[in-house]
Amino acid sequence: MSSEKKVVYSAAPWRMHEFFAGSGLVGYGLNGMFVPVWANDINERKARVYRANFDNSRFHLGDIKSVNGADLPVAELSWASFPCQDLSLAGSMGGIHAKRSGLVWEWLRVLDEMPSAPKVIALENVVGLLTSHGGDNYRALHRALAERGYRAGAIVLNANWFVPQSRPRVFVVAVAGNVTSPSAVEGSEPCWLHSPAAIKLGEELDQWVWWHAPQPDARTSVLADLLEDAPFDKDDVLQLVPERHKALLEEKEHVVAAGYRRTRGGRQVLELRFDGQAGCLRTPEGGSSRQYVVVKNGEDVHARLLTARETARLMGAPDSFKLPGSYNDGYFAMGDAVAAPVAEFIGRQLLVPLVEASYESE
């Protein structure tokens, strides 16, 4: 595939490392602000998506345990979307020291090995980072950042501000302790970005920062706007719709609803949502992890799975974004990614002002 067919990064004033890069949607969202000078992931399926869309010379496929920070190019920002399985309600809840989510400590090791560590860092994970084990998982991470000279704070931002998908995620933003943050980004108290769990942690931890940003404009798109013209071939799942949701379907002439299969009371049901948005995308590891869309027009009601392209749209990726491989490969790459508009918002509102301030503080 020629380079002309890949995403061309706009001229950007700042450089970034993209750890656990996956399909590259963080770098895509930060385009024009930061250019990835180095990216990595261990998963070949995600790597195929990254390579299909971006300059492969920046990407390193392999275990982060084999990365030496001294070998990495200098960057102003390090972003790490470290594995969530041990912090997610859908996972083992083993915690931040478990095998997969514990790879965040390898990322910190790499930072320690850099001759010049980035002045600004950002981490992304599920909301369980703040709530699991009574908040101890975040406390351990926060203290590790403080020991390295960073001031940090956690915010919770839902992708549904930008796309019709409910996808709340935690973003930990940290800045070197000798950097004076602009008043527009650092406040003295919580704001709309802080969940109750974040507020509780912020009130007790040293070197905590109350990050602030203006609320985005209200989203105007709904799930129906993102759907492809695809065949409805899963009508058999309609028999799993619980009675209360069937009643809601019957109330309206036209309905577009998304739903997951779940086990309730020992039996499978297809639980639907009628708020114009999809549920949080997951990686398609099992039958219940794929999301359905149910459409009703008059008396006709039909069901199918979300298409891979629809999952990309729900992550803010354009239709030009390539999804090589199978349906599951594309769904997997999107279900485990960061929504590009969320990365863009955090970049413009927090990361760029902090990097600029880091140079003013020198």
Side-chain angles (χ1 to χ4, degrees), residues 52-88:
N53 290 283
F54 304 101
D55 179 1
N56 188 41
S57 66
R58 299 182 176 96
F59 186 85
H60 298 263
L61 177 65
D63 194 332
I64 191 174
K65 294 178 181 178
S66 65
V67 176
N68 187 331
D71 298 332
L72 270 59
V74 174
E76 287 78 22
L77 168 69
S78 180
W79 182 294
S81 296
F82 66 101
C84 67
Q85 292 93 330
D86 298 304
L87 300 168
S88 170

Side-chain angles (χ1 to χ4, degrees), residues 224-266:
D225 298 329
L226 276 60
L227 297 185
E228 291 189 289
D229 184 11
F232 287 86
D233 55 358
K234 299 293 183 183
D235 286 359
D236 57 313
V237 302
L238 294 173
Q239 62 185 328
L240 302 179
V241 176
E243 291 301 322
R244 67 184 186 281
H245 288 178
K246 286 181 180 178
L248 291 172
L249 277 173
E250 292 172 358
E251 286 177 3
K252 297 184 179 180
E253 186 76 8
H254 302 286
V255 177
V256 175
Y260 279 111
R261 282 191 292 171
R262 305 181 189 277
T263 300
R264 303 295 189 196

Side-chain angles (χ1 to χ4, degrees), residues 94-328:
I96 202 166
H97 296 286
K99 180 178 179 179
R100 292 165 296 185
S101 296
L103 290 175
V104 68
W105 306 112
E106 290 292 329
W107 169 74
L108 285 170
R109 172 192 58 78
V110 174
L111 288 187
D112 292 341
E113 293 170 349
M114 294 179 186
S116 178
K119 293 295 183 68
V120 179
I121 58 178
L123 301 97
E124 177 267 346
N125 215 281
V126 295
V127 293
L129 173 62
L130 301 182
T131 59
S132 57
H133 295 191
D136 284 346
N137 287 311
Y138 178 79
R139 291 185 184 94
L141 176 60
H142 187 92
R143 288 168 183 148
L145 295 174
E147 289 169 0
R148 289 163 171 81
Y150 290 98
R151 299 185 303 117
I155 62 175
V156 177
L157 188 58
N158 196 325
N160 66 5
W161 280 98
F162 311 97
V163 291
Q165 179 197 175
S166 178
R167 191 179 187 86
R169 288 292 185 268
V170 171
F171 298 87
V172 181
V173 176
V175 64
N178 63 347
V179 175
T180 300
S181 303
S183 58
V185 305
E186 182 175 345
S188 59
E189 59 186 15
C191 71
W192 66 278
L193 289 166
H194 299 102
S195 65
I199 293 172
K200 179 181 178 181
L201 289 163
E203 289 174 344
E204 70 173 69
L205 290 170
D206 294 332
Q207 302 302 312
W208 174 277
V209 182
W210 296 111
W211 298 120
H212 278 218
Q215 285 191 6
D217 294 334
R219 169 178 52 83
T220 58
S221 63
V222 294
L223 176 60
D225 298 329
L226 276 60
L227 297 185
E228 291 189 289
D229 184 11
F232 287 86
D233 55 358
K234 299 293 183 183
D235 286 359
D236 57 313
V237 302
L238 294 173
Q239 62 185 328
L240 302 179
V241 176
E243 291 301 322
R244 67 184 186 281
H245 288 178
K246 286 181 180 178
L248 291 172
L249 277 173
E250 292 172 358
E251 286 177 3
K252 297 184 179 180
E253 186 76 8
H254 302 286
V255 177
V256 175
Y260 279 111
R261 282 191 292 171
R262 305 181 189 277
T263 300
R264 303 295 189 196
R267 68 183 188 91
Q268 279 215 334
V269 296
L270 178 64
E271 293 187 338
L272 302 178
R273 57 188 306 155
F274 298 86
D275 57 358
Q277 60 184 334
C280 185
L281 292 174
R282 310 172 191 163
T283 54
E285 300 298 338
S288 63
S289 62
R290 297 169 180 83
Q291 195 162 180
Y292 291 84
V293 59
V294 173
V295 176
K296 179 190 177 189
N297 286 304
E299 297 299 317
D300 293 329
V301 185
H302 299 288
R304 62 170 173 81
L305 292 169
L306 284 174
T307 68
R309 177 54 56 193
E310 287 163 354
T311 65
R313 292 173 179 174
L314 286 167
M315 296 301 291
D319 284 358
S320 58
F321 198 86
K322 301 172 185 66
L323 299 173
S326 68
Y327 166 83
N328 275 358

